[in-house]
Amino acid sequence: MKREDGLLTKRFDKLLIANRGEIAMRILRACHELGIKTVAVYSDADRNAPHVRYADEAYHIGAPPARESYLVIEKILDIAKRSGAEAIHPGYGFLAERAVFAQACVDNDIVFVGPPARAIDIMGDKQEARQTVKAAGVPIVPGTEPGLNDEEMIAAAAEIGFPVLVKAVAGGGGKGMRPVHRAEDLPDAIAGARREALSAFGDDVVYLEKMITEARHIEIQLLADAHGNAVYLGERECSLQRRHQKLIEEAPSFVVDEDLRQRMGAVAVAAAKAVNYVNAGTIEFLVDKDKNFYFLEMNTRLQVEHPVTELVTGIDIAQEMLRVARGRKLRFSQEDIQIKGWAIECRINAEDPYNNYLPSTGTITTMRLPTGPGVRVDTGVFPGYEITPYYDSMISKLICYGETRGEAVLRMRRALEEYRIMGVKTNIPFHQIMVESHRFLTGQFDTSFVETRFSMEEGEGESHDLEAAIFAALAAHRQGQQASQIVARGARDTSNWKWYSRWERLRK
Amino acid sequence: MKREDGLLTKRFDKLLIANRGEIAMRILRACHELGIKTVAVYSDADRNAPHVRYADEAYHIGAPPARESYLVIEKILDIAKRSGAEAIHPGYGFLAERAVFAQACVDNDIVFVGPPARAIDIMGDKQEARQTVKAAGVPIVPGTEPGLNDEEMIAAAAEIGFPVLVKAVAGGGGKGMRPVHRAEDLPDAIAGARREALSAFGDDVVYLEKMITEARHIEIQLLADAHGNAVYLGERECSLQRRHQKLIEEAPSFVVDEDLRQRMGAVAVAAAKAVNYVNAGTIEFLVDKDKNFYFLEMNTRLQVEHPVTELVTGIDIAQEMLRVARGRKLRFSQEDIQIKGWAIECRINAEDPYNNYLPSTGTITTMRLPTGPGVRVDTGVFPGYEITPYYDSMISKLICYGETRGEAVLRMRRALEEYRIMGVKTNIPFHQIMVESHRFLTGQFDTSFVETRFSMEEGEGESHDLEAAIFAALAAHRQGQQASQIVARGARDTSNWKWYSRWERLRK
Amino acid sequence: MKYYTKVNNQEYEIEIDHEHEITVNGEKYVIDFQQLPDAGLASLLINNQSLEAVVEDQDESWEVLMMGKLYTVKVQDERTYRLALARGLSADSGEGEVKAPMPGIIIAVPAVVGNVVKQGDKVIILESMKMENELRAPRDGIITQVKVTTGASVEKDQVLIVISDPETGD
Amino acid sequence: MKYYTKVNNQEYEIEIDHEHEITVNGEKYVIDFQQLPDAGLASLLINNQSLEAVVEDQDESWEVLMMGKLYTVKVQDERTYRLALARGLSADSGEGEVKAPMPGIIIAVPAVVGNVVKQGDKVIILESMKMENELRAPRDGIITQVKVTTGASVEKDQVLIVISDPETGD
């Protein structure tokens, strides 16, 4: 089936994964379980990565920088043709939300495992997305159209009410954005945002949006087939973020009751239908303290945090994406979907929480995964693997499930304690302190919590200075003993090999 | 609460685990999740074992042989007292089914996390167990009382019908046991069994039992509290065994429908109530091809294969054991227990399936655990850990869950493929061939299947001789190149350290 | 370099032309062979097919464990192969020793010096890890030495039984 | 051997009497210290309390990561400690170099030679792993060298900025 809006569905038996890391592994596993043959692509940095070794076939696509490998549409399509792959799964990031790529797949008679190109296009343009979903009855954050002049915006701001955000149409990553709390600061803020947007993006068009304070980031997972059916799989709470990067997600949300869930779900389905959406997608909302919710954006792809929804619904979203792309009808209706238990995900990043969260590179020397009841790990790295600066710093996801939120939290605590990654610094200590914190346990947090009210010092409560001192003294002592043995060795008449193996034994 | 039959229940906050390996880890995790402090014990062979490192406290109890450490009741009790542990969990094996140990705990005012000593005693004696459950209306395999003379037995055999088994009362591990298919062979078989039993156990008392052919080993998991409530958590299919060692277990069973489940469950609960059973226990049955079921024995402890039941019922059995031992009432009644989905467990043993399943010892150099959706691993070893001949060869359990048996099998296949353990041989190839086999997929197996009709040659179907030859040739080639570099090094004037690190790099 | 390989009675002549190309029985394959940091584990791309195997050197041959199957591959380089051909030696001369595959205690010794055994005959029963394990004759022959008795503790790789060729006394 | 340790302004005098016994500030502890095969990981039993930590040597001090918390411990043996006391040197002399903690591209250089900076001031912005990362001054001082410009690619541990003590020029 091929639609006008760039949707092609048909049965396929071989699929190319245009991605790497844990999400490539996730998709490979789903294919494996459905009996679909797999094709991996890899840059020079990834020859030994798990996704290459786990796939049935693997093709080299270029140098480590993504723009020379994972982002090069022609190379990906070329390999799909050479390998006979009939479908491509883009994962997240890289080409996942590039309408031109989705269309190029279809033009080459390759199934794109995702929505039609037209839906990606609309949802990728902030203003068009806002207008489209607003027309479908979806509440959006009050604000102005873009392109007003300064006087018009100043007038509009009075109507919207302060605080407001000045935002650049072309903006992203906080650039060209200004929070304004008082009317008298608005003219300067508009001018500043325009200047910044012009220099960063070559476009000085800005607009106003009401600033939602104490907001939570809550999103609705959707699944839609090519036959007009769409369901929501409940919500995810993703308020714990730092610099717009989510760090901990959970399902369900502490603040969403069944009534709110149904209302948000219905609105999310309406938004998806407004763009003839097909396959998995997510509508992100801001929810204020009075439980008003506002459309933020739609992610037209599989999300990093999809596992928490899988655990509480029992639905394998990665497998369902493949079924939908093959043209199958959804196997369940809205009434079949039950939320059972509680799931929490911690994103494990190669970064140093004790040093301003600086990314950490290096070779993983040891990785001991937590296991046992209620623990799932999605990872795409292994001991011996080198964390390079080329790709994003998320190296693993730790997901815990329990009958209740309390049980899930307790399992997360013990799983974090069991997890050992050495060779690079990770943010595991951040998660450990967070899941012990009173705020997290009582669900009292919003999107600004991590940046404004959380500190690694929170862990100071129970300090084990004495024990740390003993560890260090004993390690220093042992090191000193070894050093003196190394110095003494010159005098000995043993072969180096013998000596080396003795030293190895000593170290053990 | 302290009962006549050796049951003590009360609240406790610190527990000693009188075990090692994966089951010690399982109990430690359950304690961790319930906020109970933990005490580990270890032999010289286990100082660096995960259970020692994971517990809050750890105490040395002796030399590696279990009879000098894990089996010494006085040492265990002494450490419980020294550490202030108010409860002891025996795990499985070691002291788990020793009534004298359960009683000794109670006599020292320590909660034994398990049934009352009297129940262990009754169920530990084959004949007393048979008589007790028979009186409670539980079907048992037709047979004779022990202590009959040869003529009486020959007469009884005619009534029972051939084939029959001659079994020694004191027997075990197949010793003193004789299958007899024809009446004329019976006298010799009785004489032989008596001789063997006398020499092995110093006791020549034997009895007859009907031989159930094409039997399946199916067991019912029970949970009972100290307040007279008992429920069954469905069945487990454990027919895939080799030399009476279970290898693969699943829940539910292919051959048990809801009606049979209810009947077996009711009977199992009756058997438990007949001995005032408390805590987790399992009734093992033989089920013949006409779905008649016969009591085999009761295991008065946590079973190795409990995770498959946890996955299909959502009940954490290890946690429930602790709650029951604290004197709490069961949180659910029979109607609350739902079987959902399918779970399969493969026991990963350190043994060589290509060499008569000989146990394999050595140091684990690499262990890569399978992860991702639907996969649970319970393990008690890690890279660097030495597998010694002192303890049993099961080093890990791989458990997969799916919405259906098919999905669980597919996940098991991919998880087995992902699992890498190096340094010792494992039976992973056995499991890989088994889960691919037609017999396993269609559920057509009984307790004799592995030993009589399964062979590692079954995997011969798709052979990759060419690829294996290429791997070997390339490895030999690479080795040859390294060897020539080693020979050449004598001529070089580089420090050994420099040289060594260069060689290390080359290896990478 | 040229290698002569034999696996399951299939023979393959493998020429390693350079890092990324080999010729097997005259047919060219593009390959990428990587030995991974995990000892013994290797990743191989053969004409873009991705395979992973545990590859271990076992004195006279290589063991390759791939997709749950164990392959025993004999690999000879050209020189060794030609020498063997010239000497006319059978490359398959069987091993004559039964070694303890792990530490344990001897439970029974069915083998008796002077007895003729067939490959696969039970010769020793060794207890380890709570299990009895049957050790079998690796080849046909005559038992010439029995080095242990029931009840003995043995170390890994300790020689327990020696079996010789009845003709050559080998 | 006696060691002088300092962590979070707590000082402990630790005497390692022998393999299984230490004395801390006069109090005896029974210990069992094991360095595990995983580099940096250690298991310690202190009076039967079981603890595990990652212990790493960081030139001037030891980093101990235990139960989700990072401890920086200064350890000096008796000789070093006495020498330092005798010389009257502050053991806390700050580092003067800002190094790249990972490879990346320089996005901005707020630091200017001659400027006075306080510890924690932003001096370099480095992009790596798709993220901008702010590098901060490790100590108070005057910027004496700026070795990179915007757009430069840098390697791990490359020195980017040098900060000197305004008084000693150190």
Side-chain angles (χ1 to χ4, degrees):
Chain A
M1 193 178 87
K2 197 162 175 173
R3 286 198 327 207
E4 280 297 305
D5 62 356
L7 183 79
L8 170 69
T9 55
K10 63 172 180 181
R11 181 171 172 91
F12 52 84
D13 296 307
K14 192 189 258 192
L15 177 138
L16 182 150
I17 293 114
N19 217 305
R20 61 178 300 287
E22 70 87 20
I23 197 63
M25 286 302 290
R26 176 70 190 91
I27 298 160
L28 282 163
R29 286 176 172 135
C31 288
H32 215 90
E33 291 170 14
L34 290 177
I36 296 168
K37 292 269 169 208
T38 52
V39 178
V41 292
Y42 63 94
S43 75
D44 290 328
D46 281 337
R47 165 62 184 93
N48 287 340
H51 76 281
V52 172
R53 291 148 56 188
Y54 196 73
D56 295 310
E57 298 172 37
Y59 293 80
H60 176 247
I61 46 162
R67 65 182 175 279
E68 296 172 41
S69 49
Y70 297 105
L71 285 172
V72 185
I73 292 177
E74 304 72 46
K75 287 186 180 180
I76 305 279
L77 291 175
D78 174 54
I79 284 160
K81 284 181 229 165
R82 274 170 59 198
S83 65
E86 305 144 279
I88 294 180
H89 197 307
Y92 53 67
F94 294 140
L95 299 171
E97 288 176 291
R98 296 271 293 272
V100 59
F101 178 60
Q103 189 60 51
C105 288
V106 175
D107 292 344
N108 284 278
D109 201 33
I110 293 167
V111 173
F112 176 79
V113 182
R118 182 79 192 106
I120 299 176
D121 234 352
I122 295 170
M123 289 300 181
D125 180 309
K126 260 184 266 182
Q127 280 305 318
E128 199 176 351
R130 260 171 80 95
Q131 284 156 7
T132 305
V133 303
K134 192 177 171 186
V138 177
I140 59 172
V141 178
T144 70
E145 304 294 300
L148 303 186
N149 66 33
D150 291 14
E151 289 69 36
E152 290 167 333
M153 279 201 277
I154 290 167
E159 238 175 87
I160 295 167
F162 287 87
V164 296
L165 278 175
V166 183
K167 284 172 106 173
V169 167
K175 274 178 185 151
M177 194 194 287
R178 291 279 189 290
V180 184
H181 292 267
R182 302 177 310 175
E184 56 265 45
D185 297 336
L186 188 57
D188 278 1
I190 293 172
R194 282 199 199 279
R195 257 199 322 276
E196 202 170 275
L198 188 64
S199 96
F201 314 109
D203 177 357
D204 72 352
V205 178
V206 298
Y207 63 99
L208 290 187
E209 220 175 68
K210 185 171 176 63
M211 201 166 117
I212 311 293
T213 53
E214 297 180 48
R216 284 175 178 257
H217 176 121
I218 293 175
E219 59 191 29
I220 299 286
Q221 174 69 52
L222 296 172
L223 261 182
D225 65 22
H227 307 277
N229 307 300
V231 295
Y232 60 90
L233 304 181
E235 79 283 3
R236 288 188 290 261
E237 162 71 74
C238 310
S239 300
L240 291 172
Q241 309 182 345
R242 189 180 164 276
R243 295 170 72 182
H244 302 283
Q245 299 289 318
K246 296 168 186 167
L247 290 164
I248 299 182
E249 301 100 341
E250 52 185 303
S253 163
F254 214 82
V255 298
V256 177
D257 56 22
E258 192 51 39
D259 170 64
L260 183 57
R261 181 174 301 127
Q262 280 180 20
R263 287 191 292 127
M264 289 177 77
V267 156
V269 168
K273 289 197 169 172
V275 294
N276 293 314
Y277 199 82
V278 174
N279 221 313
T282 299
I283 310 276
E284 297 189 335
F285 292 101
L286 280 183
V287 178
D288 70 18
K289 59 179 185 297
D290 302 318
K291 306 217 177 167
N292 298 307
F293 58 92
Y294 306 98
F295 174 85
L296 206 55
E297 64 174 335
M298 179 168 197
N299 292 320
T300 55
R301 53 168 167 85
L302 186 62
Q303 305 258 114
V304 172
E305 58 271 26
H306 74 276
V308 293
T309 301
E310 293 186 328
L311 290 174
V312 296
T313 60
I315 292 168
D316 187 314
I317 296 172
Q319 287 189 17
E320 296 305 332
M321 288 186 78
L322 298 168
R323 291 199 181 96
V324 165
R326 279 173 155 186
R328 306 269 289 274
K329 282 194 181 159
L330 287 183
R331 299 179 304 139
F332 34 74
S333 61
Q334 193 62 52
E335 302 81 63
D336 299 326
I337 295 158
Q338 301 284 335
I339 307 295
K340 194 186 164 199
W342 209 286
I344 302 176
E345 170 179 285
C346 288
R347 297 192 188 192
I348 311 299
N349 298 336
E351 60 187 27
D352 185 356
Y354 287 106
N355 188 12
N356 202 24
Y357 298 90
L358 279 176
S360 176
T361 55
T363 299
I364 293 179
T365 52
T366 291
M367 191 169 77
R368 191 139 8 99
L369 299 183
T371 65
V375 176
R376 165 173 165 185
V377 184
D378 279 20
T379 179
V381 298
F382 61 96
Y385 187 75
E386 194 188 344
I387 308 295
T388 65
Y390 300 112
Y391 312 114
D392 93 46
S393 63
M394 196 193 72
I395 54 174
S396 167
K397 303 184 307 203
L398 172 57
I399 311 116
C400 289
Y401 176 82
E403 273 182 73
T404 60
R405 185 170 191 267
E407 189 172 81
V409 170
L410 289 167
R411 284 192 165 150
M412 182 60 82
R413 283 189 191 171
R414 75 136 177 99
L416 286 166
E417 198 175 313
E418 284 179 36
Y419 213 154
R420 295 271 180 282
I421 299 174
M422 280 184 297
V424 293
K425 308 269 186 193
T426 77
N427 65 348
I428 289 175
F430 162 84
H431 289 297
Q432 289 186 288
I433 292 171
M434 177 61 82
V435 301
E436 293 285 348
S437 77
H438 175 72
R439 288 289 200 134
F440 179 76
L441 294 180
T442 55
Q444 293 172 53
F445 48 78
D446 60 29
T447 53
S448 67
F449 177 65
V450 176
E451 277 173 284
T452 61
R453 275 162 295 150
F454 176 82
S455 138
M456 290 298 287
E457 312 294 307
E458 298 213 2
E460 293 295 337
E462 42 168 355
S463 212
H464 295 274
D465 294 337
L466 169 66
E467 290 82 355
I470 294 174
F471 262 113
L474 288 166
H477 181 68
R478 190 92 32 116
Q479 192 184 54
Q481 288 182 314
Q482 274 161 12
S484 61
Q485 277 161 334
I486 289 171
V487 170
R489 116 191 122 91
R492 271 186 231 152
D493 187 24
T494 51
S495 93
N496 299 310
W497 284 107
K498 259 192 202 156
W499 185 82
Y500 174 72
S501 76
R502 187 175 308 155
W503 183 74
E504 277 284 80
R505 276 200 306 279
L506 276 171
R507 283 178 49 196
K508 276 177 185 162
Chain B
M1 194 179 85
K2 197 163 176 172
R3 285 196 330 204
E4 282 296 305
D5 62 356
L7 183 79
L8 169 69
T9 55
K10 64 172 180 181
R11 182 172 170 90
F12 52 83
D13 296 306
K14 192 189 257 191
L15 177 139
L16 182 150
I17 294 113
N19 217 308
R20 60 178 302 285
E22 70 87 19
I23 197 62
M25 286 302 290
R26 176 71 190 89
I27 298 160
L28 283 163
R29 286 175 172 137
C31 288
H32 214 91
E33 291 170 14
L34 290 177
I36 296 168
K37 292 270 168 209
T38 51
V39 178
V41 292
Y42 63 95
S43 76
D44 290 328
D46 281 338
R47 166 61 185 90
N48 287 339
H51 76 281
V52 173
R53 290 148 56 188
Y54 195 73
D56 295 311
E57 297 173 38
Y59 293 79
H60 177 245
I61 47 161
R67 66 183 175 278
E68 296 173 40
S69 49
Y70 298 104
L71 285 171
V72 186
I73 292 178
E74 304 73 46
K75 287 185 179 180
I76 304 279
L77 291 175
D78 174 54
I79 284 159
K81 285 180 227 163
R82 273 170 59 198
S83 64
E86 305 144 280
I88 295 181
H89 196 307
Y92 53 68
F94 295 139
L95 299 170
E97 289 175 293
R98 296 271 293 273
V100 60
F101 179 59
Q103 189 60 51
C105 289
V106 174
D107 292 344
N108 284 278
D109 200 33
I110 293 167
V111 174
F112 175 79
V113 183
R118 182 75 193 109
I120 300 176
D121 235 351
I122 296 171
M123 289 300 181
D125 180 308
K126 259 185 267 182
Q127 279 305 318
E128 199 176 351
R130 260 171 80 95
Q131 284 156 8
T132 306
V133 303
K134 192 178 170 186
V138 177
I140 58 171
V141 178
T144 70
E145 304 296 299
L148 304 186
N149 65 33
D150 290 15
E151 289 69 38
E152 290 167 333
M153 280 199 277
I154 289 166
E159 240 176 87
I160 294 167
F162 287 87
V164 296
L165 278 175
V166 183
K167 285 171 104 172
V169 167
K175 275 178 186 151
M177 195 195 287
R178 290 280 188 289
V180 184
H181 293 265
R182 304 177 309 174
E184 56 265 44
D185 298 335
L186 188 56
D188 278 0
I190 293 171
R194 283 198 200 277
R195 257 197 324 274
E196 200 170 276
L198 188 64
S199 96
F201 316 110
D203 176 357
D204 73 349
V205 178
V206 299
Y207 62 100
L208 289 187
E209 221 175 66
K210 186 170 175 63
M211 201 167 116
I212 311 295
T213 54
E214 297 181 48
R216 285 176 177 256
H217 176 121
I218 294 176
E219 59 191 30
I220 299 286
Q221 175 69 53
L222 296 171
L223 260 182
D225 64 23
H227 307 277
N229 307 301
V231 296
Y232 59 91
L233 304 181
E235 80 283 4
R236 290 187 288 260
E237 161 72 74
C238 311
S239 300
L240 291 171
Q241 309 182 345
R242 189 180 164 277
R243 296 169 70 183
H244 301 285
Q245 299 289 318
K246 296 169 186 166
L247 290 165
I248 300 182
E249 301 100 341
E250 51 185 303
S253 163
F254 215 81
V255 297
V256 177
D257 56 22
E258 192 50 39
D259 170 63
L260 183 57
R261 180 173 301 127
Q262 281 180 20
R263 286 191 294 127
M264 290 178 77
V267 155
V269 167
K273 290 198 168 170
V275 294
N276 293 313
Y277 199 83
V278 174
N279 221 314
T282 299
I283 310 277
E284 298 190 334
F285 292 101
L286 280 183
V287 179
D288 70 17
K289 58 179 186 297
D290 301 319
K291 306 218 177 167
N292 299 305
F293 57 94
Y294 307 99
F295 173 84
L296 205 55
E297 64 174 336
M298 179 168 197
N299 292 320
T300 55
R301 53 165 167 87
L302 186 61
Q303 306 258 112
V304 173
E305 58 271 26
H306 74 277
V308 294
T309 301
E310 293 186 328
L311 290 173
V312 297
T313 60
I315 291 169
D316 187 314
I317 296 171
Q319 287 190 16
E320 297 304 332
M321 288 187 78
L322 298 168
R323 290 197 182 99
V324 165
R326 280 173 155 187
R328 305 267 290 273
K329 282 195 180 156
L330 287 183
R331 299 179 304 138
F332 33 75
S333 60
Q334 193 62 54
E335 302 81 65
D336 298 327
I337 295 157
Q338 302 282 336
I339 308 294
K340 194 185 164 201
W342 209 287
I344 302 175
E345 170 179 285
C346 287
R347 296 192 189 193
I348 310 300
N349 297 338
E351 60 187 27
D352 184 356
Y354 287 106
N355 188 12
N356 202 25
Y357 298 89
L358 279 177
S360 176
T361 55
T363 299
I364 293 180
T365 53
T366 291
M367 192 170 76
R368 190 137 10 98
L369 299 182
T371 65
V375 176
R376 165 173 165 186
V377 185
D378 279 21
T379 178
V381 298
F382 62 95
Y385 187 75
E386 193 187 344
I387 308 295
T388 65
Y390 301 112
Y391 312 114
D392 92 46
S393 63
M394 198 194 71
I395 54 174
S396 166
K397 304 185 306 204
L398 173 57
I399 312 115
C400 290
Y401 177 81
E403 273 181 74
T404 60
R405 186 170 191 266
E407 188 173 80
V409 170
L410 289 167
R411 284 191 165 151
M412 182 60 82
R413 283 190 191 170
R414 76 136 177 99
L416 286 166
E417 197 175 315
E418 285 179 35
Y419 212 154
R420 295 273 180 280
I421 298 175
M422 282 186 294
V424 293
K425 309 269 184 193
T426 78
N427 64 348
I428 289 175
F430 162 83
H431 289 298
Q432 290 186 286
I433 292 171
M434 179 59 83
V435 300
E436 293 285 347
S437 77
H438 175 73
R439 288 288 201 136
F440 180 75
L441 294 179
T442 55
Q444 293 172 53
F445 48 78
D446 59 30
T447 54
S448 68
F449 177 65
V450 175
E451 278 173 282
T452 62
R453 276 162 292 151
F454 176 82
S455 140
M456 290 299 288
E457 313 295 306
E458 297 213 2
E460 292 296 337
E462 42 168 355
S463 212
H464 296 275
D465 294 337
L466 169 66
E467 291 83 353
I470 293 175
F471 262 113
L474 288 166
H477 181 68
R478 189 89 38 115
Q479 192 185 53
Q481 287 181 314
Q482 274 159 12
S484 61
Q485 278 161 335
I486 289 171
V487 171
R489 115 191 124 93
R492 272 189 230 152
D493 186 23
T494 51
S495 93
N496 300 310
W497 284 106
K498 259 193 201 155
W499 185 81
Y500 173 72
S501 75
R502 188 175 307 155
W503 182 73
E504 277 284 79
R505 275 199 307 278
L506 276 171
R507 284 177 49 195
K508 276 176 187 162
Chain C
M1 286 281 284
K2 196 182 264 182
Y3 294 89
Y4 295 84
T5 69
K6 193 171 172 185
V7 53
N8 291 329
N9 288 315
Q10 298 284 322
E11 292 190 29
Y12 302 97
E13 220 178 286
I14 299 179
E15 183 144 12
I16 298 176
D17 308 322
H18 57 82
E19 184 88 336
H20 288 296
E21 196 176 274
I22 61 171
T23 308
V24 182
N25 294 349
E27 195 177 336
K28 281 207 185 301
Y29 293 85
V30 176
I31 58 128
D32 183 347
F33 178 69
Q34 301 282 333
Q35 284 174 306
L36 301 171
D38 306 340
L41 199 61
S43 166
L44 175 62
L45 304 182
I46 310 179
N47 292 348
N48 294 111
Q49 300 291 316
S50 179
L51 292 166
E52 191 172 295
V54 179
V55 185
E56 283 179 350
D57 184 6
Q58 299 289 344
D59 298 337
E60 306 245 324
S61 60
W62 290 81
E63 288 199 340
V64 178
L65 183 64
M66 177 171 57
M67 290 183 274
K69 274 199 64 180
L70 186 71
Y71 300 83
T72 302
V73 188
K74 223 178 79 178
V75 182
Q76 293 182 306
D77 62 22
E78 196 149 11
R79 196 174 136 270
T80 318
Y81 181 75
R82 303 262 173 241
L83 274 174
L85 276 187
R87 285 200 206 127
L89 286 176
S90 156
D92 290 322
S93 71
E95 294 205 16
E97 292 177 343
V98 177
K99 292 179 180 173
M102 72 223 115
I105 290 163
I106 303 297
I107 293 297
V109 187
V112 176
V113 170
N115 276 12
V116 173
V117 290
K118 291 233 158 279
Q119 188 183 333
D121 282 358
K122 208 184 296 180
V123 289
I124 289 277
I125 299 173
L126 176 73
E127 184 179 294
S128 190
M129 288 175 169
K130 306 195 317 188
M131 298 278 285
E132 292 183 9
N133 306 287
E134 296 167 352
L135 307 188
R136 293 165 184 278
R139 53 170 287 182
D140 298 355
I142 286 177
I143 294 182
T144 49
Q145 292 184 60
V146 174
K147 302 188 158 201
V148 285
T149 52
T150 302
S153 279
V154 297
E155 293 300 308
K156 190 176 175 177
D157 287 335
Q158 188 174 328
V159 175
L160 312 176
I161 304 274
V162 179
I163 299 168
S164 301
D165 188 317
E167 279 151 46
T168 65
D170 230 15
Chain D
M1 285 282 284
K2 196 180 264 182
Y3 294 87
Y4 295 84
T5 68
K6 193 172 173 185
V7 52
N8 291 331
N9 287 317
Q10 298 284 321
E11 292 190 28
Y12 301 98
E13 219 178 286
I14 299 179
E15 183 144 11
I16 298 176
D17 308 320
H18 57 82
E19 184 88 336
H20 288 296
E21 196 176 274
I22 61 170
T23 307
V24 182
N25 294 348
E27 196 176 336
K28 281 208 185 303
Y29 293 85
V30 177
I31 57 127
D32 183 347
F33 179 68
Q34 301 282 334
Q35 284 175 305
L36 301 171
D38 306 339
L41 199 61
S43 166
L44 176 62
L45 304 181
I46 311 180
N47 293 346
N48 294 112
Q49 299 293 316
S50 179
L51 293 165
E52 191 171 295
V54 179
V55 185
E56 282 178 352
D57 184 5
Q58 299 290 344
D59 299 335
E60 307 244 324
S61 61
W62 290 81
E63 288 198 340
V64 178
L65 183 64
M66 176 172 56
M67 289 183 275
K69 274 198 65 180
L70 186 72
Y71 300 83
T72 302
V73 187
K74 222 176 81 177
V75 181
Q76 293 182 306
D77 61 22
E78 196 150 11
R79 194 176 138 270
T80 318
Y81 180 75
R82 303 263 172 241
L83 274 174
L85 276 186
R87 284 203 204 126
L89 284 178
S90 155
D92 290 322
S93 71
E95 292 204 17
E97 291 177 343
V98 177
K99 292 179 181 174
M102 72 223 116
I105 290 163
I106 304 297
I107 293 296
V109 188
V112 176
V113 171
N115 276 11
V116 173
V117 290
K118 291 231 157 283
Q119 188 183 332
D121 282 358
K122 207 185 297 181
V123 289
I124 289 275
I125 299 172
L126 176 73
E127 185 178 295
S128 190
M129 289 176 169
K130 307 195 315 187
M131 297 278 285
E132 292 183 10
N133 306 286
E134 297 167 351
L135 307 187
R136 292 166 186 278
R139 54 170 287 182
D140 298 354
I142 286 176
I143 294 182
T144 49
Q145 291 184 57
V146 175
K147 302 189 157 203
V148 287
T149 53
T150 302
S153 280
V154 296
E155 292 301 309
K156 189 174 176 178
D157 287 334
Q158 188 175 328
V159 176
L160 312 177
I161 303 274
V162 179
I163 299 168
S164 301
D165 187 317
E167 279 151 47
T168 66
D170 229 15

